Amino acid sequence: MLSMPSPDNPVRISILVAARNEEQNIERCLRSLDLLDFPKEQLEIIIGDDDSEDNTAWITQQFSAGKPEFKYVKITSRISGLKGKANVLAQLAHIARGEYFFYCDADIEVQPGWASQMLSHFKQKTGVVVGVTRMKKNRHLLADMLSMEWLFALTAMRFFSHFKIPITGMGNNMAVTREAYFKIGGYEKIGFSIVEDYALFMGIVRGGFDFEMAYKTEVISISEPVNTFPELLRQRKRWMHGVMESYWVTRLSLFVSSLIVPILFLLSIWFPINPVSSIVQYYVLVTAISLTAVVLLKQPDLWKAALLFWFYMVSIGLIMLVNYYLPSRTVWKGREY
């Protein structure tokens, strides 16, 4: 059962936003948060500026002026060996007063009903709720493929959630209870991870709390896509750390989907299978799941991407594996990890 805010502390939801060098995106994010259909007196929005080197601070402070629910915090120190986004969110958690911590990236645009719809998924033992994200519409083919990738993965996560199999969290659209966060010791106890959302999600699940997926149109958040292939490689280098630390089902599915074509041809040497027929069947399966996601989440603009997604998935999976194992540093937001 959801608890109500006390008269001494009316804040029910604290939205925590970590921002670094987001002058191109931060105002769009703040405007969407300002339009949330949720009582202002029960809401606080805390933006942690991770020592940005651009106009992120000025834009945030100008927008927040006269809006008491918005709070700007400059983050210049590190705690408990943390760095990057994990360090920012750890510090914001100690400032936040809400019973629930909602996470949203600085390049995300949320829907007006996001907060209330996510909140409705918390039950008595729920510690974490994961939402749905896609890219902006009508940008370019890569953006559509990235959107389809999110929806495909989240549909798979939704399937496994019915069997209580945890896959991963999603730092751009996720919410946790204050109780769960501090019971597991927060990011200070979890320790540094470049994929802090996965680390927090799994920490809460391993701490004995249930998880839920808010698999519905009303909670879909809109992200800014990467626009170039080098940007995509840098992003995926970071993501692969999360995949390799995740549940075995996730790791296995990545290897199988990435290497499915050579695997089937090799198997055909020893077993009586037709590799071409098997590849066609795999294409049909992936496309069926993709189209199901498009229909269930009401994203009709992605139907063409759904038909092409198998080719993208096989290609990007192999590229991610090669890129991950190449001896290079992970660079994100101008910092090396």
Side-chain angles (χ1 to χ4, degrees):
M1 181 179 296
L2 299 178
S3 58
M4 297 299 294
S6 68
D8 295 333
N9 176 27
V11 176
R12 195 172 191 189
I13 291 176
S14 297
I15 299 176
L16 311 182
V17 183
R20 175 169 168 78
N21 297 342
E22 292 285 359
E23 64 180 8
Q24 301 298 320
N25 303 311
I26 190 67
E27 186 170 354
R28 170 175 162 267
C29 175
L30 298 176
R31 287 189 183 281
S32 71
L33 293 173
D34 192 36
L35 293 174
L36 282 173
D37 183 17
F38 199 84
K40 300 291 187 185
E41 66 275 9
Q42 295 182 25
L43 179 71
E44 66 177 1
I45 301 161
I46 312 176
I47 301 90
D49 178 8
D50 188 13
D51 204 19
S52 294
E53 299 163 334
D54 62 2
N55 290 319
T56 297
W58 185 85
I59 294 170
T60 302
Q61 290 171 322
Q62 289 295 307
F63 185 89
S64 302
K67 299 181 178 70
E69 69 273 18
F70 283 83
K71 180 182 294 185
Y72 169 84
V73 180
K74 180 77 168 180
I75 305 293
T76 57
S77 61
R78 287 169 53 181
I79 57 173
S80 301
L82 299 174
K83 53 185 175 180
K85 190 175 177 181
N87 175 58
V88 174
L89 295 178
Q91 297 195 44
L92 296 187
H94 289 283
I95 297 171
R97 296 178 293 147
E99 297 175 69
Y100 302 89
F101 297 163
F102 279 52
Y103 297 100
C104 154
D105 282 354
D107 65 348
I108 286 289
E109 178 182 359
V110 303
Q111 297 190 68
W114 175 63
S116 56
Q117 289 291 331
M118 290 283 283
L119 190 62
S120 69
H121 283 75
F122 281 97
K123 302 179 177 64
Q124 186 172 6
K125 295 182 179 180
T126 306
V128 55
V129 173
V130 180
V132 181
T133 301
R134 62 157 292 169
M135 304 299 160
K136 276 186 173 180
K137 295 182 180 181
N138 304 318
R139 295 300 295 269
H140 43 67
L141 181 60
L142 177 59
D144 287 347
M145 288 300 162
L146 294 173
S147 289
M148 199 63 252
E149 187 176 24
W150 276 108
L151 298 193
F152 182 88
L154 290 165
T155 299
M157 287 170 58
R158 174 61 172 167
F159 172 79
F160 285 113
S161 72
H162 288 301
F163 302 96
K164 299 301 179 183
I165 298 175
I167 302 297
T168 186
M170 206 165 55
N172 59 25
N173 194 342
M174 190 168 76
V176 307
T177 65
R178 181 188 194 90
E179 177 191 3
Y181 180 88
F182 283 111
K183 183 177 180 181
I184 67 168
Y187 281 112
E188 293 94 326
K189 181 71 172 181
I190 295 170
F192 171 71
S193 172
I194 196 170
V195 281
E196 81 299 322
D197 47 2
Y198 168 76
L200 179 59
F201 173 83
M202 291 305 298
I204 289 175
V205 172
R206 288 166 180 160
F209 293 89
D210 291 341
F211 68 95
E212 298 286 337
M213 272 207 69
Y215 188 80
K216 55 171 60 174
T217 309
E218 293 81 3
V219 302
I220 295 178
S221 292
I222 309 300
S223 178
E224 285 285 348
V226 295
N227 294 304
T228 67
F229 190 67
E231 285 182 87
L232 181 62
L233 287 181
R234 286 193 293 271
Q235 181 192 68
R236 296 313 164 88
K237 184 83 170 180
R238 182 177 71 96
W239 285 12
M240 280 297 291
H241 287 277
V243 173
M244 293 307 180
E245 295 172 8
S246 65
Y247 202 68
W248 67 267
V249 172
T250 308
R251 300 196 303 273
L252 179 62
S253 64
L254 174 66
F255 280 97
V256 170
S257 64
S258 303
L259 303 172
I260 188 66
V261 173
I263 286 173
L264 288 173
F265 276 100
L266 284 173
L267 288 175
S268 68
I269 297 174
W270 297 283
F271 299 97
I273 65 170
N274 183 332
V276 175
S277 175
S278 299
I279 290 170
V280 171
Q281 292 175 41
Y282 184 46
Y283 168 82
V284 171
L285 174 63
V286 169
T287 304
I289 295 172
S290 301
L291 289 171
T292 299
V294 167
V295 172
L296 292 179
L297 293 171
K298 302 175 184 177
Q299 305 299 305
D301 64 295
L302 294 175
W303 72 267
K304 292 180 181 178
L307 297 177
L308 297 172
F309 178 66
W310 180 86
F311 301 96
Y312 167 85
M313 184 179 76
V314 172
S315 302
I316 197 64
L318 183 58
I319 291 169
M320 285 170 63
L321 284 174
V322 173
N323 187 48
Y324 174 74
Y325 286 111
L326 284 175
S328 61
R329 298 282 289 175
T330 300
V331 180
W332 193 246
K333 298 292 184 182
R335 290 179 174 147
E336 287 191 0
Y337 296 94

